[in-house]
């Protein structure tokens, strides 16, 4: 059985990484194999592109050039990491995916939607998330969280964290618009609450949308009849 592809989207400081790790732990307790990955990145070549983009070295080229770089990273990520994992029955939990390109370069970057759609079709080649969690919170709250996180690590703002507040407000609306346009795939989670509450909301939505991966594989193995030669 193929694995499920679950993505986490949202603005800066929404807590995606935290919640992905919590979900992986829960799935592990049920003997459900899960792989955590991220975008841009997730494969050696894609990580090189990530460093180039987030370091701000592509900003002067404009949003469309950045979208092309994200697409190149995504192709390598799909080929080397995501698709092989899904084929072997491992669930893939991805921190950002194609929706981020739609939001960051498409909506906030003012690239024509049809152009983004065409780029997405060529890049994804039919591989789409089974479920997408959009972690939603006010832009100011997310930016404050991201700033605290950077301060704790002694890091500066990356390419996108350093944008004006208006950019981040546009991002939030872009992600909510995506959720409204694809309600069967997307679930909006209120991320402006305690991590335990966010985790509980994600698990409840997962049980409703993909119940097969919220059951223990250990119990299934226990009742599966043995093959008789």
């Amino acid at each position: 059985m193929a694995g499920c592809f679950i993505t986490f989207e949202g603005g800066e400081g929404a807590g995606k990484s935290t919640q992905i790790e919590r979900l992986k732990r829960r799935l592990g307790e049920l003997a459900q194999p899960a792989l955590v990955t991220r975008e841009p990145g997730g494969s050696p070549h894609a990580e090189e592109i990530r460093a180039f983009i987030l370091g701000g070295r592509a900003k002067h080229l404009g949003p469309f050039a950045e979208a092309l770089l994200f697409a190149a990273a995504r192709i390598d990520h799909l080929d080397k990491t995501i698709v092989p994992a899904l084929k072997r029955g491992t669930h893939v939990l991805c921190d950002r995916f194609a929706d981020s390109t739609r939001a960051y370069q498409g909506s906030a970057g003012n690239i024509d939607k049809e152009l983004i759609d065409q780029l997405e079709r060529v890049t994804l080649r039919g591989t789409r998330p089974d479920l997408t969690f959009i972690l939603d919170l006010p832009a100011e709250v997310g930016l404050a969280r991201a700033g605290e996180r950077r301060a704790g690590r002694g890091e500066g703002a990356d390419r996108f964290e350093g944008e004006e507040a208006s950019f981040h407000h546009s991002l939030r609306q872009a992600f909510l618009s995506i959720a409204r346009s694809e309600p069967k795939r997307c679930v909006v989670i209120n991320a402006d609450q305690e991590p335990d509450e966010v985790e509980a909301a994600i698990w409840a939505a997962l049980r409703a949308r993909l119940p097969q991966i919220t059951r223990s594989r250990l119990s299934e193995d226990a009742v599966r009849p043995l093959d008789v030669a």
Side-chain angles (χ1 to χ4, degrees), residues 128-218:
R128 296 184 179 276
D130 296 293
L131 180 62
T132 296
F133 291 111
I134 294 179
L135 304 190
D136 176 60
L137 78 171
E140 295 85 355
V141 176
L143 289 172
R145 288 182 183 177
E148 292 174 2
R149 179 187 63 203
R150 291 196 309 271
R153 298 175 181 174
E155 300 174 347
D158 69 23
R159 158 69 181 90
F160 299 105
E161 290 172 344
E163 286 287 348
E164 298 291 333
S166 59
F167 177 88
H168 294 282
H169 286 294
S170 296
L171 277 180
R172 184 186 187 189
Q173 295 309 313
F175 280 121
L176 292 175
S177 177
I178 290 169
R180 287 192 296 269
S181 68
E182 297 189 55
K184 291 184 178 180
R185 174 175 68 87
C186 299
V187 177
V188 177
I189 301 292
N190 175 18
D192 192 12
Q193 52 185 337
E194 292 300 315
D196 287 350
E197 295 175 296
V198 177
E199 178 184 355
I202 288 172
W203 188 250
L206 189 65
R207 292 184 66 183
R209 300 292 187 98
L210 296 174
Q212 69 273 24
I213 74 170
T214 62
R215 295 191 291 264
S216 174
R217 285 195 176 183
L218 292 175

Side-chain angles (χ1 to χ4, degrees), residues 98 102 115-125 128:
R102 290 200 218 175
L115 192 56
I116 291 291
D117 289 345
Q118 291 176 3
L119 184 61
E120 189 174 289
R121 284 194 292 272
V122 172
T123 303
L124 303 190
R125 293 163 292 172
R128 296 184 179 276

